[in-house]
Amino acid sequence: MVVRRAAKGACDFLAETVGEVVAEVLLGLLACALLGCLVLIAYLSWSFSPRLTVAGAGLLSLSLAHGAWQTFRAPVKGRRRDLAALTAAGFAVAATTSLFLLLYAAGCNCL
């Protein structure tokens, strides 16, 4: 009975360890692929039109700044929040994606 319980515990530990390793490898590959796609988009955009690339980056930065401002300020009652909710959601997605890239892409030796 003791041997069976020990074998089950070792099997569970091994399965969890292998699962974590596989998940780490998949997340690292996904982060490297995402980083590569971002670099490719920036390169193709710049080769097409540098002015539009800078204008688009400025517009994206302005939108993310507005989303951050809406996220961290006190809510105002009686106002419609359609654009505010959209920019706040965009900021949240950009922040989590940036964190994902920083945590996983930096450790995958693809930089």
Side-chain angles (χ1 to χ4, degrees):
M1 197 61 145
V2 175
V3 173
R4 184 179 295 167
R5 194 175 318 141
K8 184 179 182 312
C11 183
D12 290 343
F13 173 75
L14 187 61
E16 183 178 334
T17 303
V18 169
E20 286 180 8
V21 168
V22 168
E24 189 75 27
V25 167
L26 288 176
L27 285 174
L29 288 174
L30 182 63
C32 286
L34 182 61
L35 185 62
C37 287
L38 289 174
V39 169
L40 180 66
I41 289 170
Y43 172 74
L44 292 175
S45 174
W46 187 265
S47 67
F48 176 71
S49 174
R51 288 181 184 165
L52 284 178
T53 303
V54 171
L59 186 62
L60 180 64
S61 298
L62 184 65
S63 173
L64 290 176
H66 183 263
W69 180 62
Q70 289 293 330
T71 300
F72 295 118
R73 77 179 186 114
V76 178
K77 295 186 181 194
R79 294 182 62 188
R80 288 188 55 132
R81 295 184 42 101
D82 296 337
L83 179 63
L86 182 66
T87 57
F91 171 72
V93 168
T96 55
T97 304
S98 303
L99 183 63
F100 176 71
L101 282 175
L102 285 174
L103 290 177
Y104 286 101
C108 75
N109 297 328
C110 63
L111 298 176

